[in-house]
Every structure is written in C-alpha cells, then in structure tokens.
Amino acid sequence: MTSVTRIDSVRLGGQDGPEVGVQGFGAMGISEFYGDTDEAAARDTLDAALEAGVTLIDTADIYGSGANEEFLAPFLAAHRDEVTLATKFAIERRADDPTYRGVRNDPAYIKKAAEDSLRRLGIETIDLYYMHRRDPEIPLAESVGAMAELVQEGKVRFLGLSEVTGHELREAHAVHPITALQSEWSLFSRDVERSAVGAAAELGVTFVPYSPLGRGFLTGAFADAGKELSGGDFRKYQPRFTGENAERNAALLDPVRKIAAAHGTTPAQIALAWVQQRAAVHGLTVVPIPGTRKRSRLLENAAATGITLTTAELAELEPIAGLVAGDRYPDMRFTSVGREV
C-alpha cells in the first residue's frame, strides 16, 4: 500500500482563499449514519489528519443534530490555527420525528443556524460556511445575501454551496464570491459533470467532492448493504447499495481492483486517485473529503494523493459511472441533478 508523510497543499477558491491540504476530512461518520463510533479512535484519527497535512475538516449542523460540531470543539480549541473548519446549514431535523428532513434557506434561519454552529464549535469565526441543500422556493439572492452578511459581521470567512447546478452557482457567485462547491463526485457518481464542474472551473471555485469512495462501496468493504451492514447504517436504505442494484454494482469494481493490484495499492486509493486527478482533467482545484474513523484508513486515503493513473487506466475506469444501477438517494429532489433533469 502506498504511504505518505505529508500531503501537498492548495488554496480554496484561488489566491485569496485559505491554504489547505489537497485532501480534506469528512467528519460526518463520527457521529451517526455509519453505525457505532469509538470516540477515542475518532480523536486519534483527527490527530493523524493534521500529522498528514489534512487540514480541511468538514462537518454540518445536521450530523448528530449538532453532536458532530460539539465533538470537534475540543480538537478545534487545541488546533485552531492549523485547521480550516467547514460546516453547513439548511437541513432541518425534528426531535419528535427522527425521520423528518426539511430544507430551510430563509435569511432568519441562516443567521440562527450560524450562531448555533459557532456556539457548538466553540469558535468565533467559521472558515467555510456552506448552504447544505438548496430550497428552490427561496430566491438564491436572498440566501446568499444573508450568508454574505455573516462574512461582513466577521462570523464567516468564506462561502460555499452544496448540490447546486452550474446555473445556480453562477447566480450565487454574482451575489458574493463562492469559494467552494461541495457535491458527490466519484467513480460511481458523475452527474455533477453536466454543469456544476464546468461552472466551478470557469469561476475559479474549488470543487470539494463528498463521498469520493461511494460511501465505502468503492473500497469493496461490502457488497450488499441490506445484508451486511448494521441497522443504524443509512446505506441500508440507499437504492444502489441493496438488492439487485448492489449485485450489479459490485461487478463494476473489477477494473478498480485490477488497477490497484498493478500499483500495489488498495481499491480505495485508486478511487481517490481518480477523484484527485479530476483537477487536471477539468482544470480546477479539487479537494475531496473522504471520511473515516480509523487512523490507518486516514493515512491510506491521504497516500492516494501521490498516485497518478495512466491514460490507459483512466480510460478503463471511464465507463463505470454510466453503468451504475440505482440513484444516490431514495429522494433526489434536493440534489443538483434532481433540478437539471
């Protein structure tokens, strides 16, 4: 397996943006969605991230209903100058209904969400503040305008959007500069290439792929979420990871395994190398944020930044996304592709 000492760095959103490692860290799984967590191991993983130069730490107020932000607070207190902290607002939950998910983009909600995140994180300024999902009923100018006011007040440094189309990114950028666009992008999920990637490249917006390992499926860690994963794992309810879809999709990993064997790496490292190489393919800065709760996996992921795939290998991987069975979510209405189709 390829190893790494410290990864290279890039600037988010151009020369005026914060300098971060070329790979970031998605903290979502520490709090929920992927089964039980060993908190001591998770804290050790965060330490390993900094040691490896992984300095963009990504969370959201929805993760654990704020618990993820609270978990990160001691780490931030100890390493504030070393970390670029990203968090998100927009997805609303209800204590009396664990299944409820609403989307709020109204200015009053945005202001309150930011204050609540600052309090939980124990910091004075959020480095990168994302709109997690877009509510088409609220004019984008109103939402981004409210976010811009947070910048003016010193509560936020840079703005980001998640799961928006290329048209929406351009519209938002005209209101206030957008530093980063975060959406799902992997060997299994390439719908962002329809419009969002091109717009980001045109505007100088950094692309931050979430789930670059296909929520773990691209690692070969499981073949059927419905049969192999615990009851608390939300992947059991994702269309592409269960039943006939899972069986069809598992067969798509053969070329990933073949290329990994040729490089003496893991399939996960090949999948991440493919994402990292999108920067050169599309002419923009790309900082994926794989998540893990283990130091060993963190170091494995970071090492993928040192792998370069050949033209022939890229060609072999090219057809995979077009053959994937099943949608990314049971309900695609709040994804960018859901508003483009």
Side-chain angles (χ1 to χ4, degrees):
M1 181 181 75
T2 299
S3 61
V4 67
T5 51
R6 191 169 177 86
I7 65 175
D8 293 336
S9 62
V10 294
R11 287 197 177 275
L12 299 180
Q15 291 305 307
D16 295 330
E19 185 175 0
V20 301
V22 73
Q23 185 181 110
F25 177 79
M28 181 181 80
I30 291 173
S31 295
E32 62 174 334
F33 301 111
Y34 292 106
D36 296 335
T37 292
D38 180 332
E39 288 198 359
R43 295 194 185 283
D44 182 54
T45 301
L46 288 171
D47 291 337
L50 284 190
E51 293 165 12
V54 176
T55 56
L56 176 63
I57 308 299
D58 183 274
T59 182
D61 58 7
I62 186 184
Y63 303 158
S65 298
N68 198 258
E69 291 179 326
E70 292 173 345
F71 176 86
L72 290 172
F75 177 75
L76 292 172
H79 302 285
R80 190 67 189 99
D81 293 341
E82 303 168 75
V83 170
T84 296
L85 189 283
T87 192
K88 316 178 200 68
F89 73 88
I91 303 179
E92 189 177 39
R93 304 177 78 167
R94 291 177 179 168
D96 61 348
D97 182 0
T99 65
Y100 176 80
R101 299 290 187 273
V103 175
R104 298 260 320 254
N105 288 174
D106 55 284
Y109 179 83
I110 292 170
K111 297 292 185 68
K112 184 179 185 304
E115 294 287 356
D116 290 344
S117 286
L118 287 167
R119 173 179 48 79
R120 287 189 293 261
L121 290 162
I123 58 179
E124 296 182 355
T125 305
I126 297 166
D127 296 317
L128 176 58
Y129 200 39
Y130 287 102
M131 177 190 294
H132 206 164
R133 290 293 185 272
R134 167 96 170 94
D135 177 4
E137 299 300 315
I138 303 295
L140 194 54
E142 288 186 19
S143 303
V144 178
M147 296 169 72
E149 289 178 11
L150 293 170
V151 175
Q152 294 164 7
E153 295 166 4
K155 295 174 181 177
V156 169
R157 293 179 64 203
F158 301 98
L159 302 185
L161 301 174
S162 179
E163 290 285 357
V164 297
T165 66
H167 174 77
E168 290 167 337
L169 178 59
R170 291 187 180 93
E171 182 182 351
H173 196 75
V175 176
H176 186 280
I178 302 300
T179 295
L181 169 58
Q182 181 178 142
S183 291
E184 186 166 353
W185 198 9
S186 74
L187 278 169
F188 265 29
S189 301
R190 297 180 59 179
D191 52 69
V192 292
E193 294 173 25
R194 296 186 182 190
S195 71
V197 170
E202 171 192 320
L203 298 171
V205 175
T206 295
F207 209 104
V208 179
Y210 72 79
S211 298
L213 292 173
R215 305 191 188 281
F217 197 85
L218 285 164
T219 70
F222 65 95
D224 189 325
K227 297 176 181 177
E228 299 175 47
L229 302 181
S230 66
D233 196 312
F234 88 124
R235 291 172 292 184
K236 290 171 68 72
Y237 311 103
Q238 303 299 88
R240 60 179 49 171
F241 299 142
T242 57
E244 292 183 3
N245 287 345
E247 184 177 349
R248 288 176 58 186
N249 293 337
L252 300 178
L253 297 180
D254 289 344
V256 182
R257 293 190 181 95
K258 173 188 170 185
I259 294 169
H263 280 262
T265 66
T266 66
Q269 289 178 311
I270 296 304
L272 284 173
W274 181 90
V275 175
Q276 300 277 177
Q277 228 160 312
R278 297 303 90 193
V281 171
H282 293 279
L284 77 170
T285 302
V286 176
V287 182
I289 49 169
T292 182
R293 294 171 289 188
K294 296 180 180 179
R295 170 182 280 266
S296 60
R297 293 298 186 200
L298 183 287
L299 298 177
E300 176 185 332
N301 292 344
T305 64
I307 299 170
T308 300
L309 301 175
T310 68
T311 301
E313 289 167 342
L314 292 173
E316 194 168 358
L317 297 171
E318 182 66 22
I320 291 177
L323 300 173
V324 172
D327 284 334
R328 295 197 273 129
Y329 296 99
D331 183 350
M332 293 287 285
R333 288 179 300 165
F334 290 101
T335 64
S336 60
V337 70
R339 292 191 298 281
E340 286 184 318
V341 174

